[in-house]
């Protein structure tokens, strides 16, 4: 066993003594030492309850003949960091999470690991650690949050976003908003929408790195049972020497993209799946999203998509397992990909059934024939950009309007709520990319302001920043090259016409090449006065690659 380097031999007396001082028995050290990487903390509802998941995982490990050893990592809440200085950190934390798992696993030479997750950057960070270390590994999430209820009406995270705008427009009172706040998010779990958290946890099942059942709700007996099964399954993976890089392959990533497109997942998946492929040394072209979108229909609509369902509805309809069963039967998945069950994708979903075809639509009745994410290129984004087309109203598939320029999110939000943005405008928020932010802040507050002010059918937003999965509307993000690198988005001037065609996948700045060249010659990168010299953000900005390359360290 790998762990014998720390537990066997005459010269390891002190090592064993350290374990004994914590209550371990000699026979415990004869078994595989299985790390339980628990991201539990009290900063967010997605992670507050993960101590119960960890207990169930450890029970499963012990029952299957292993010795569990728990340790933590950091975990940030995008919702609490949203719209303020704190949002510089969540994406940047992904690399720290991956690195911290590497440090603990290699520093202590554990034999295998169970990775307990739930929220946005934490799931991809742990997946990256799994393929980097390539030791027996399995994931388990804390599950989605239940749906809220106010006055016998379902309510969730995105409904609160719209309600903020209703207050600004005088439609409802602050007191009414406060009343809704108390019940929209009724308990623990990943927030009740298709944000990055639920998207990435669903995609972990599509990837094959967790047991089927990713949609089972937080705080339920089914979720705890899944956690116990996960603890038992890691011992099987260890005994059979099934490793992450046998599961995470080019084909399984294509399966993941297929499911992503079918559910209209968060645009952040482009960042995370690209980063995962790079970490696993898999040759990957981000245009795979665009190519697969041509043949994968949009079958599941989850909020923030207009008139979308809640995560609980998807679970009750059969979950991701049932969706994958349908995709598999129609030849859209690589059926022979290995998964952590020890079986193939086809074997995992062979008995899966769709319970509610209004929630998981059949292939002959999709929301659209093309998947719910769209890549856009043009002279404004030569290296690409992305839009969550599943959350765009049809009126905004094509849009042309004057640019309203903001070099940070905060003044853009103030202008939107202040009534300074008019129908037809294109709000441009720049210097918010991976390097320029730094940390590629989410523009959720800005897009929520556009929706809340009733402008979602008339105003677009273009940014080198990114979006939460909660984002709705014609929001074009990840514009590359970013402004801090002198990309075309840095050269836009107030009033320049921008034309967006989501159907065709184009974003064009109506300025001549000659004029852009003149502006580029005069351009200078602004100073990042808000970044402390020598801080993690300072180092991150110097090391990070572009969004379309996954925002990984160079």
């Amino acid at each position: 066993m790998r762990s014998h380097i720390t537990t066997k031999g005459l010269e390891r007396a002190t090592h064993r003594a350290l374990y004994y001082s914590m209550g371990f028995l000699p026979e415990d050290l004869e078994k595989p030492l299985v790390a339980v990487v628990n991201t539990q903390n009290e900063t967010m509802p997605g992670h507050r309850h993960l101590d119960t998941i960890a207990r169930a995982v450890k029970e499963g490990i012990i029952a299957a003949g292993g010795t569990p050893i728990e340790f933590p990592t950091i975990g940030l809440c995008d919702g609490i960091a949203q719209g303020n200085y704190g949002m510089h950190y969540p994406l940047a934390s992904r690399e720290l999470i991956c690195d911290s798992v590497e440090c603990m696993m290699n520093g202590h030479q554990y034999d295998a690991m169970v990775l307990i997750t739930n929220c946005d950057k934490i799931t991809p960070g742990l997946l990256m650690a799994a393929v980097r270390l390539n030791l027996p590994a399995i994931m388990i999430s804390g599950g989605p949050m239940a749906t809220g209820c106010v006055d016998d009406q379902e309510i969730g995270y995105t409904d609160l976003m719209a309600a903020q705008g209703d207050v600004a427009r005088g439609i409802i009172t602050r007191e009414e908003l406060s009343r809704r706040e108390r019940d929209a998010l009724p308990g623990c779990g990943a927030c009740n929408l298709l944000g990055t958290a639920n998207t990435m946890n669903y995609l972990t099942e599509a990837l094959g790195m967790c047991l089927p059942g990713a949609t089972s709700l937080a705080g339920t007996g089914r979720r705890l049972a899944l956690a116990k099964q996960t603890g038992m399954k890691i011992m099987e993976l260890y005994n059979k020497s099934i490793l992450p890089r046998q599961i995470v392959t080019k084909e399984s990533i294509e399966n993941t993209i297929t499911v992503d497109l079918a559910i209209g997942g968060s645009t952040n998946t482009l960042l995370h799946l690209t980063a995962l492929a790079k970490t696993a040394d898999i040759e990957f072209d981000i245009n795979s999203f665009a190519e697969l979108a041509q043949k994968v229909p949009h079958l599941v609509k989850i909020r923030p998509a207009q008139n979308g369902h809640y995560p609980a509805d998807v679970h009750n309809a059969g979950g991701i397992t049932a969706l994958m069963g349908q995709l598999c039967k129609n030849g859209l998945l690589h059926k022979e990909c290995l998964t952590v069950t020890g079986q193939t994708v086809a074997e995992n979903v062979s008995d899966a059934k769709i319970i509610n075809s209004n929630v998981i639509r059949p292939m002959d009745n999709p929301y659209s024939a093309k998947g719910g994410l769209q890549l856009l290129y043009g002279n404004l984004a030569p290296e690409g950009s992305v839009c969550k087309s599943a959350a765009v109203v049809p009126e905004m598939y094509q849009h042309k309007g004057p640019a309203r320029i903001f070099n940070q999110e905060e003044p853009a939000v103030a202008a939107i709520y202040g009534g300074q943005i008019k129908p037809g405008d294109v709000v441009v928020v720049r210097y918010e990319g991976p390097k320029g932010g730094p940390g590629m802040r989410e523009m959720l507050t800005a897009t929520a302001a556009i929706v809340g002010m009733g402008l979602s059918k008339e105003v677009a937003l273009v940014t080198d920043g990114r979006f939460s999965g909660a984002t709705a509307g014609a929001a074009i993000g990840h514009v590359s090259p970013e402004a801090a690198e002198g990309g075309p988005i840095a050269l836009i001037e107030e009033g320049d016409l921008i034309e967006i065609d989501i159907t065709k996948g184009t974003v064009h700045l109506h300025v001549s090449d000659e004029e852009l060249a003149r502006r580029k010659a005069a351009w200078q990168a602004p100073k990042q006065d808000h970044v402390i010299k020598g801080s993690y953000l300072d180092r991150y900005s110097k090391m990070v690659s572009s969004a379309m390359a996954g925002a990984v360290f160079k």
Side-chain angles (χ1 to χ4, degrees):
M1 292 191 296
R2 186 173 187 257
S3 59
H4 280 173
I5 196 172
T6 65
T7 61
K8 292 290 185 181
L10 178 66
E11 69 280 15
R12 299 295 185 245
T14 56
H15 300 60
R16 293 187 291 273
L18 290 169
Y19 279 111
Y20 298 154
S21 73
M22 295 184 284
F24 289 91
L25 301 172
E27 50 265 39
D28 293 330
L29 305 186
E30 296 296 327
K31 303 171 185 177
L33 302 186
V34 181
V36 177
V37 185
N38 186 7
T39 57
Q40 190 274 340
N41 60 51
E42 295 183 352
T43 69
M44 50 187 156
H47 287 244
R48 185 176 176 87
H49 66 300
L50 295 188
D51 53 343
T52 63
I53 299 292
R55 281 197 295 271
V57 166
K58 288 188 283 189
E59 288 172 2
I61 292 170
I62 293 168
T67 296
I69 301 177
E70 183 179 341
F71 66 79
T73 72
I74 63 168
L76 279 78
C77 177
D78 283 51
I80 292 174
Q82 194 66 243
N84 60 70
Y85 187 84
M87 186 42 73
H88 291 291
Y89 284 93
L91 179 60
S93 75
R94 184 189 69 183
E95 315 309 308
L96 283 176
I97 290 165
C98 180
D99 289 347
S100 68
V101 175
E102 176 196 339
C103 289
M104 291 296 291
M105 289 298 297
N106 283 344
H108 288 182
Q109 292 291 295
Y110 298 128
D111 297 297
M113 56 184 174
V114 177
L115 302 156
I116 304 175
T117 184
N118 218 27
C119 288
D120 297 27
K121 311 309 168 291
I122 299 157
T123 299
L126 295 180
L127 282 170
M128 290 163 65
V131 297
R132 178 189 291 179
L133 293 165
N134 204 32
L135 297 167
I138 189 171
M139 300 276 287
I140 173 74
S141 74
M145 183 187 292
T147 309
C149 183
V150 172
D151 297 335
D152 201 34
Q153 296 293 314
E154 290 185 321
I155 186 173
Y157 192 101
T158 54
D159 303 296
L160 281 183
M161 291 162 50
Q164 291 173 174
D166 290 342
V167 172
R169 290 187 289 163
I171 296 174
I172 65 172
T173 64
R174 285 182 178 271
E175 289 74 22
E176 174 59 22
L177 175 63
S178 179
R179 190 172 74 91
R180 297 181 190 183
E181 290 170 14
R182 300 295 294 270
D183 293 306
L185 306 178
C188 61
C191 293
N192 46 24
L193 76 159
L194 192 61
T196 308
N198 281 320
T199 299
M200 286 304 304
N201 290 332
Y202 295 169
L203 296 190
T204 300
E205 178 174 340
L207 188 66
M209 281 298 294
C210 71
L211 296 177
T215 57
S216 61
L217 296 184
T220 62
R222 179 174 291 193
R223 175 58 58 179
L224 288 177
L226 190 65
K228 189 170 184 178
Q229 290 171 328
T230 298
M232 298 171 71
K233 184 60 67 172
I234 188 59
M235 298 310 301
E236 180 181 329
L237 295 172
Y238 172 78
N239 291 326
K240 292 182 178 179
S241 297
I242 297 176
L243 303 176
R245 292 200 185 194
Q246 295 172 259
I247 295 169
V248 180
T249 62
K250 184 175 184 292
E251 290 74 22
S252 70
I253 289 179
E254 288 179 355
N255 283 350
T256 306
I257 295 171
T258 296
V259 173
D260 194 15
L261 293 166
I263 64 176
S266 168
T267 53
N268 281 319
T269 57
L270 274 82
L271 289 168
H272 301 321
L273 293 180
T274 302
L276 180 63
K278 287 181 178 294
T279 306
D281 294 323
I282 295 170
E283 187 175 332
F284 178 75
D285 184 349
I286 200 166
N287 287 302
S288 298
F289 280 88
E291 294 166 5
L292 287 168
Q294 298 302 314
K295 60 181 181 180
V296 178
H298 180 205
L299 300 173
V300 182
K301 186 177 280 191
I302 308 173
R303 292 174 184 251
Q306 190 177 39
N307 301 318
H309 300 280
Y310 293 94
D313 301 322
V314 178
H315 175 66
N316 293 333
I320 293 300
T321 313
L323 172 65
M324 290 180 67
Q326 179 170 260
L327 293 170
C328 197
K329 289 175 185 175
N330 284 273
L332 292 175
L333 295 179
H334 297 286
K335 300 180 180 181
E336 299 308 313
C337 288
L338 181 66
T339 73
V340 291
T341 65
Q343 297 182 308
T344 65
V345 168
E347 291 170 326
N348 286 348
V349 303
S350 61
D351 296 327
K353 294 180 181 179
I354 294 173
I355 308 301
N356 186 340
S357 59
N358 292 320
V359 177
I360 303 175
R361 288 195 172 187
M363 299 294 291
D364 60 0
N365 184 32
Y367 288 103
S368 66
K370 295 173 61 176
L373 293 175
Q374 176 69 288
L375 296 183
L376 299 93
Y377 293 87
N379 71 339
L380 181 51
E383 294 177 5
S385 60
V386 65
C387 175
K388 185 173 181 175
S389 54
V392 179
V393 294
E395 295 93 322
M396 290 299 291
Y397 286 168
Q398 289 85 31
H399 182 78
K400 183 178 180 180
R404 303 297 309 279
I405 308 298
F406 302 92
N407 287 346
Q408 277 190 317
E409 180 189 25
E410 287 85 351
V413 172
I416 297 165
Y417 279 129
Q420 299 170 35
I421 302 301
K422 306 301 181 184
D425 286 348
V426 178
V427 176
V428 176
V429 185
R430 62 192 181 189
Y431 296 104
E432 291 283 14
K435 182 181 294 292
M440 202 178 182
R441 292 199 295 173
E442 289 181 348
M443 301 295 108
L444 175 58
T445 304
T447 56
I450 290 172
V451 172
M453 294 299 286
L455 297 170
S456 63
K457 296 181 180 180
E458 301 168 296
V459 170
L461 187 146
V462 174
T463 181
D464 54 5
R466 60 191 176 88
F467 298 113
S468 164
T471 295
I476 315 300
H478 300 208
V479 171
S480 299
E482 63 174 289
E485 297 276 21
I489 191 171
L491 311 179
I492 306 172
E493 294 183 357
E494 188 81 7
D496 285 347
L497 285 179
I498 296 175
E499 185 172 3
I500 299 164
D501 192 320
I502 293 171
T503 303
K504 293 181 179 177
T506 59
V507 55
H508 186 74
L509 177 63
H510 284 271
V511 175
S512 69
D513 292 343
E514 293 77 14
E515 174 61 14
L516 286 176
R518 185 192 67 77
R519 294 180 187 179
K520 180 66 180 287
W523 174 82
Q524 289 185 328
K527 293 181 179 179
Q528 294 178 324
D529 294 331
H530 58 288
V531 178
I532 300 170
K533 186 177 180 180
S535 66
Y536 177 60
L537 281 183
D538 187 23
R539 286 178 279 137
Y540 182 86
S541 69
K542 292 177 172 63
M543 298 169 66
V544 69
S545 67
S546 77
M548 300 307 277
V552 295
F553 284 161
K554 295 176 183 176

